[in-house]
Amino acid sequence: MAHNHHHHHSDHHEHGTSNYSRAFMIGTILNVGFVIIEVVYGYLAHSLALLADAGHNMSDVLGLLLAWGASFLGSRPPSQRYTYGLRRSSILAALINAIALLLVMGGITWEAVQRFSNPASVGGSTVIAVAMVGIVINTITALMFMSGRKHDINIRGAFLHMAADAGVSLGVVLAGIAIIFTGWLWFDPVVSLIIVAVVVVGTWQLLKDAVNLALDAVPENIEPLAVQTYLSELPGVTQIHDLHIWAMSTTETALTAHLVIPDGHPGDDFLIQTCKELHDHFGIEHSTLQIEVGDSNQTCALASHHRV
């Protein structure tokens, strides 16, 4: 059996981390400032709602720090013990962020349901003013992550966290204004529940994607059958087995496969070209290919589809 490993590295994935350090820093500073404002005004206005929201926004700061830390760890070089580096931390951060966001939404739902039977006044103009500041800060932070949310679920986690908060603050403003004009106290929990529903739908997808990546599923944007067909149609390839495609991080994909070529090893050029095509057509950053000649006396132990 001829073993041939070829790795193709590219700088294309760098868009996942480098551009966002500034966004994370600005977002964190803005949100910490906002938490301080809420604590001070909550204390002065005797508003439990504002103090509770300050706690909630502190969880956002932690979510941002988590995504930022993972983004930084993902760019660390590999070591002898962590041969892929710490790229996978971005998957863990997205997973934790999704779970945290769902828990926060659960808390808001619980409080909203309680308020139906025991309506509380939203606390008037101070609460509305502070919530407006919240909309501005959270919207600015969310917009900084907007462009990266499609390529990287860690960035999507940060984006969703901020967008959810802008929505919650908007709900507080709308409910506050409506209550001032109509006196309908039930408006507050209704708006809260509508926002929770919207956030949960977005977060559920994030959670699903993060769990899939953590379980080494083929990333959503790659069609495994298309990759298999491409490899099996390469010149001289009669069979392909032990094909694995998985996420090394939230922005990079790896592939390993055994190619059976009875005419013998096709040369380094074949491997370099194949890895380049896998990168250009499928976005696979890191390919490792093993060439076998298909000797009938020497069957590959991993040839069966059921073997991993």
Side-chain angles (χ1 to χ4, degrees):
M1 250 188 247
H3 290 259
N4 253 289
H5 295 275
H6 181 76
H7 304 288
H8 178 84
H9 289 287
S10 152
D11 294 323
H12 287 260
H13 61 263
E14 288 304 318
H15 64 71
T17 53
S18 52
N19 312 352
Y20 292 103
S21 279
R22 216 168 111 240
F24 278 121
M25 189 172 71
I26 295 168
T28 304
I29 291 168
L30 285 175
N31 280 276
V32 168
F34 183 49
V35 168
I36 293 167
I37 290 171
E38 284 196 304
V39 168
V40 171
Y41 276 97
Y43 180 73
L44 294 176
H46 304 293
S47 167
L48 191 61
L50 276 183
L51 290 172
D53 200 48
H56 168 168
N57 279 307
M58 201 58 221
S59 81
D60 283 352
V61 172
L62 296 176
L64 273 178
L65 290 174
L66 183 73
W68 188 6
S71 188
F72 169 73
L73 289 175
S75 61
R76 306 286 296 155
S79 66
Q80 278 192 310
R81 179 65 57 193
Y82 297 98
T83 55
Y84 277 135
L86 297 170
R87 288 168 160 72
R88 197 153 254 235
S89 53
S90 58
I91 296 173
L92 292 177
L95 189 59
I96 294 167
N97 248 329
I99 292 168
L101 201 46
L102 287 173
L103 288 174
V104 167
M105 291 302 127
I108 292 175
T109 304
W110 176 252
E111 198 177 316
V113 170
Q114 302 290 91
R115 283 194 174 188
F116 277 116
S117 54
N118 188 10
S121 132
V122 178
S125 49
T126 309
V127 174
I128 293 171
V130 175
M132 278 177 162
V133 176
I135 296 173
V136 173
I137 287 175
N138 289 312
T139 303
I140 290 170
T141 313
L143 288 174
M144 290 191 291
F145 296 109
M146 196 166 169
S147 62
R149 76 188 193 286
K150 286 195 166 64
H151 314 290
D152 181 348
I153 69 165
N154 183 35
I155 299 296
R156 192 161 101 222
F159 168 78
L160 266 176
H161 231 119
M162 294 298 125
D165 266 14
V168 170
S169 296
L170 178 65
V172 171
V173 171
L174 293 177
I177 292 170
I179 289 166
I180 285 171
F181 283 108
T182 64
W184 296 339
L185 293 181
W186 54 261
F187 212 87
D188 179 39
V190 167
V191 171
S192 296
L193 290 174
I194 292 168
I195 291 162
V196 165
V198 172
V199 173
V200 167
V201 169
T203 310
W204 190 252
Q205 189 57 46
L206 174 70
L207 181 68
K208 223 169 73 175
D209 290 350
V211 167
N212 282 339
L213 293 187
L215 294 175
D216 285 339
V218 176
E220 283 284 310
N221 59 330
I222 294 173
E223 181 45 66
L225 202 59
V227 176
Q228 190 169 355
T229 305
Y230 162 73
L231 290 171
S232 59
E233 287 174 354
L234 289 169
V237 174
T238 57
Q239 199 206 337
I240 165 177
H241 56 262
D242 199 34
L243 171 63
H244 297 282
I245 307 166
W246 73 99
M248 289 158 62
S249 74
T250 50
T251 56
E252 290 169 279
T253 305
L255 169 148
T256 57
H258 293 200
L259 307 179
V260 178
I261 304 179
D263 297 341
H265 192 277
D268 285 359
D269 193 44
F270 168 88
L271 289 174
I272 290 166
Q273 193 53 38
T274 303
C275 291
K276 185 180 182 308
E277 297 269 316
L278 284 168
H279 173 266
D280 295 349
H281 293 308
F282 302 103
I284 296 168
E285 306 280 350
H286 186 115
S287 298
T288 305
L289 300 171
Q290 176 171 312
I291 306 296
E292 296 166 14
V293 292
D295 182 347
S296 54
N297 301 321
Q298 293 281 344
T299 313
C300 174
L302 297 169
S304 160
H305 286 308
H306 303 296
R307 282 297 298 274
V308 174

